[in-house]
């Protein structure tokens, strides 16, 4: 399935913004479930309407400030419901307007919560075969998880979309041109969420609030390098932002992935540069890389202006249906 952008919508920024600003999201017969975590905190799982009666579940991991209501998550869950395949969005801690009980949050190298969620699906929902799909930062988390020895053997396939494969390059790309609009929006959300979480912990879990208090106010943060220096690095034990980028960037790790994995990247993604696209030598034999000329950041709007088609969903459905073992 070759992606061809809709006429008049080929611009990468239009591709990026259209699903958020213009898409009428399809309905999903949602069920929510509060999942306990080993450290006493919790995650919120949002299930689609199809039931996991046969043990097959598609697991979705959203982007940095996304959640189960992100257009790509709603869109794919709707399509999966149409063909009777169970799906669940694992909302990261603190995302989706829910406040958590500990200071941990999502970052590119966070894999403990992925592992906990997949184990929970195995134990509580009798999952037997899993396909995991990660978007943007969720894709970074997924790729980091797939190279770990503890990665769930239930994963029969994986897919990622628009992953910032070199975190340092991508963080600095957002300081250039129109991409600064995305930087301003995302940093505003992250800082607002941080302040809300800190106030929540101060009131209800003061013992856990200390790690936030040590960070201090977030006034004056201008870009992602500063945010990662002041928030992510101290929270998770990295020396600084560049140490975080070095340890958690997935571009050097792709050769170690053994699970059949589809990687979809757009060459015009305004969150990154072509320099982060992997070469054939950097990929393991189990990775199928698709690089589209257009698509923006998790956009991929085809069809026409009057009748847009969200190409990503049928492409992922094709991968999902072809990846589950034959019954």
């Amino acid at each position: 399935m070759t992606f061809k952008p809709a006429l008049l919508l080929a611009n990468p920024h239009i591709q990026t913004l259209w699903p958020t600003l213009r898409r009428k999201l399809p309905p999903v017969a949602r069920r929510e479930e509060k999942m306990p975590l080993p450290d006493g905190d919790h995650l919120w799982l949002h299930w689609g309407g199809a039931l996991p009666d046969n043990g097959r579940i598609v697991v979705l991991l959203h982007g940095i400030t996304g959640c189960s209501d992100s257009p790509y998550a709603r869109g794919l869950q709707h399509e999966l419901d149409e063909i009777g395949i169970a799906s669940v969005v694992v909302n990261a801690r603190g995302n989706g307007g829910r406040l958590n009980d500990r200071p941990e949050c999502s970052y590119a190298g966070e894999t403990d919560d992925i592992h906990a969620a997949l184990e929970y699906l195995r134990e509580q929902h009798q999952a037997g075969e899993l396909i995991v799909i990660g978007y943007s930062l969720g894709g970074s988390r997924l790729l980091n998880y797939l190279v770990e020895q503890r990665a769930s053997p239930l994963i029969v396939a994986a897919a990622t979309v628009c992953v910032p494969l070199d975190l340092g390059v991508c963080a600095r790309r957002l300081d250039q041109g129109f991409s600064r609009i995305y930087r301003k929006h995302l940093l505003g959300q992250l800082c607002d969420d941080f302040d809300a979480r800190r106030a929540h912990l101060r009131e209800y879990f003061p013992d856990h609030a200390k790690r936030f208090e040590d960070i201090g106010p977030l006034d004056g943060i201008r870009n992602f390098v500063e945010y990662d220096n002041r928030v992510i690095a101290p929270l998770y034990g990295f020396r600084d932002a560049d140490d975080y980028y070095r340890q958690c960037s997935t571009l050097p790790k792709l050769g170690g992935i053994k699970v059949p994995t589809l990687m979809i990247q757009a060459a015009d993604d305004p969150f990154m540069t072509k320099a982060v696209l992997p070469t054939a030598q950097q990929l393991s034999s189990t990775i199928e890389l698709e690089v589209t000329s257009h698509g923006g950041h998790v956009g991929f709007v085809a069809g026409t202006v009057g009748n847009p088609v969200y190409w990503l969903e049928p492409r992922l459905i094709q991968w999902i249906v072809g990846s589950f073992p034959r019954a």
Side-chain angles (χ1 to χ4, degrees):
M1 295 179 64
T2 303
F3 172 67
K4 182 180 179 181
L7 188 65
L8 305 179
L9 301 185
N11 179 277
H13 303 296
I14 295 176
Q15 284 282 318
T16 300
L17 294 169
W18 182 279
T20 299
L21 300 179
R22 301 286 296 176
R23 183 175 186 181
K24 183 178 180 180
L25 294 178
V28 178
R30 282 267 173 76
R31 297 172 289 123
E32 70 174 21
E33 180 178 2
K34 187 177 183 180
M35 185 200 110
L37 285 166
D39 63 6
D41 209 347
H42 59 273
L43 300 177
W44 285 98
L45 308 181
H46 279 172
W47 292 86
L51 299 175
D53 294 334
N54 59 3
R56 293 182 167 182
I57 304 172
V58 176
V59 182
L60 279 61
L61 306 174
H62 58 73
I64 187 168
T65 60
C67 66
S68 54
D69 278 330
S70 295
Y72 50 79
R74 284 276 295 272
L76 186 58
Q77 281 201 299
H78 174 79
E79 295 300 318
L80 288 167
D81 281 351
E82 291 290 295
I83 59 174
I85 294 179
S87 66
V88 61
V89 182
V90 179
N91 288 283
R93 301 194 204 203
N95 285 56
R98 305 274 193 158
L99 295 172
N100 279 68
D101 304 340
R102 291 181 57 88
E104 285 78 13
C105 60
S106 181
Y107 69 100
E110 197 293 306
T111 60
D112 286 346
D113 288 356
I114 295 176
H115 187 69
L118 301 188
E119 285 294 289
Y120 181 83
L121 295 177
R122 178 182 64 81
E123 294 170 359
Q124 300 298 321
H125 293 279
Q126 293 73 54
E129 296 166 349
L130 300 173
I131 291 178
V132 188
I133 299 175
Y135 299 84
S136 194
L137 193 79
S140 291
R141 295 173 64 207
L142 174 57
L143 293 173
N144 272 305
Y145 178 67
L146 291 177
V147 298
E148 295 180 355
Q149 289 188 346
R150 65 172 177 171
S152 174
L154 301 183
I155 301 175
V156 298
T160 64
V161 180
C162 295
V163 175
L165 296 165
D166 185 314
L167 296 168
V169 169
C170 295
R172 293 173 173 92
R173 172 67 179 88
L174 289 168
D175 293 335
Q176 302 171 17
F178 189 86
S179 294
R180 289 175 292 185
I181 298 296
Y182 310 123
R183 181 194 67 189
K184 180 179 180 180
H185 173 71
L186 293 171
L187 280 175
Q189 283 190 305
L190 289 171
C191 291
D192 287 348
D193 289 348
F194 182 93
D195 289 339
R197 292 165 61 215
R198 176 157 51 190
H200 173 72
L201 291 177
R202 280 173 177 166
E203 183 172 359
Y204 296 104
F205 304 95
D207 290 345
H208 293 160
K210 186 178 185 306
R211 287 170 64 191
F212 273 13
E213 302 296 358
D214 291 344
I215 291 172
L218 300 187
D219 300 339
I221 288 183
R222 298 166 298 173
N223 56 48
F224 270 95
V225 175
E226 292 179 3
Y227 177 84
D228 292 331
N229 265 322
R230 290 172 60 179
V231 178
I232 298 299
L235 271 181
Y236 298 104
F238 299 107
R239 186 173 60 253
D240 53 24
D242 285 323
D243 183 43
Y244 162 45
Y245 301 153
R246 181 183 61 80
Q247 292 195 47
C248 297
S249 290
T250 52
L251 186 60
K253 303 177 185 181
L254 298 178
I257 291 178
K258 299 177 182 178
V259 173
T261 301
L262 172 67
M263 293 181 61
I264 298 174
Q265 302 283 127
D268 68 347
D269 190 331
F271 283 47
M272 54 197 81
T273 73
K274 292 182 181 179
V276 309
L277 296 174
T279 64
Q281 291 71 32
Q282 290 173 300
L283 302 175
S284 76
S285 60
T286 64
I287 293 178
E288 178 181 337
L289 174 65
E290 292 185 8
V291 179
T292 64
S293 298
H294 302 280
H297 189 69
V298 199
F300 303 101
V301 185
T304 65
V305 172
N307 186 28
V309 175
Y310 299 96
W311 172 88
L312 195 55
E313 286 142 34
R315 178 64 189 101
L316 289 172
I317 291 291
Q318 182 186 56
W319 173 259
I320 290 164
V321 171
S323 298
F324 274 130
R326 299 293 180 186

